[in-house]
Every structure is written in C-alpha cells, then in structure tokens.
Amino acid sequence: MSGVNKVTIVAFAMMLCILLQTNISKADIFLAGDANGWGFKLNGWPNGKTFKTGDVIEFKYPAGAHNVVKVDQTGFDSCNGAGGQAFTSGDDKIILTQGTSYFICTIGPHCANGVKAAVTAN
C-alpha cells in the first residue's frame, strides 16, 4: 500500500470520527414524564415534544415500583409485555431509533392505568 493511500485512509477515518461525534453530541435527553418521572402522572407526556433518532429517553422511577418494557404496537395497545425488552433499574436510558417506540409498565394494572408512552423519532 502506498503512502498516499495510507494518508487517505487515515484522513477518511478521522473525518468519520468527527462526523459521528457531531451527530452524537446533537442528541437530546428527555426525562419520561418530565418532572413527575415515569409513573401515574404522565399527563399526556410526550405530547408536544419533538424527538430525533438518537435522542435518549431517561425513565426515572422507584426500582421495584415500576418497570419499563419496550414493546411493539400490539403490546402497547394490549398492555402486554411478552417478548418485550425489560428495564428495571429505576434510572433507565433508552436511545430512540427512527419510527415509533412503545414503552409500558408491566407491574400490576399500571399500563392499563396509563403508565405507557409512545414516542416517535424522526
């Protein structure tokens, strides 16, 4: 491999790293439920918010009192967490992918009582 090719590859790798860092640094962090946190007082959260792919939703709640399960739309509509990805730390940070992400609490009747949120990232 010639010296010119090595320099080109290194320069390309450095540019890629800069672009990736710039994209990551633009991500916003949203607290699920705002000041109320993840629980019974979601009050229409996340209505009125704009999310981007790569943004982070932080779910804060008393560990053991709630959980967060990322489900598909069917699981969201039926409050069924089977097959979903469960988070239970009480301080869960989930990076949004493009499209709509669905989150529910599967403890007791919490989901049926409104502890659920659908978030769309563009």
Side-chain angles (χ1 to χ4, degrees):
M1 185 177 271
S2 74
V4 174
N5 286 341
K6 289 179 185 176
V7 171
T8 303
I9 291 171
V10 169
F12 178 75
M14 288 176 60
M15 295 259 314
L16 184 60
C17 288
I18 290 168
L19 289 172
L20 287 173
Q21 181 61 35
T22 301
N23 191 32
I24 291 169
S25 66
K26 290 182 180 179
D28 291 320
I29 299 173
F30 293 88
L31 182 60
D34 293 325
N36 294 323
W38 179 244
F40 293 106
K41 296 181 180 180
L42 290 174
N43 298 328
W45 189 92
N47 295 340
K49 297 189 182 327
T50 301
F51 301 94
K52 301 178 307 295
T53 300
D55 283 349
V56 176
I57 306 295
E58 183 172 7
F59 294 86
K60 288 190 169 226
Y61 54 92
H66 294 290
N67 64 16
V68 178
V69 181
K70 186 175 180 183
V71 295
D72 60 16
Q73 185 173 4
T74 301
F76 181 82
D77 292 341
S78 65
C79 289
N80 185 342
Q85 183 178 6
F87 302 87
T88 60
S89 76
D91 188 9
D92 307 309
K93 296 171 184 74
I94 302 173
I95 298 171
L96 294 175
T97 55
Q98 187 171 9
T100 303
S101 297
Y102 300 94
F103 306 101
I104 64 173
C105 177
T106 60
I107 294 180
H110 293 189
C111 177
N113 289 322
V115 186
K116 61 195 270 184
V119 178
T120 301
N122 298 313

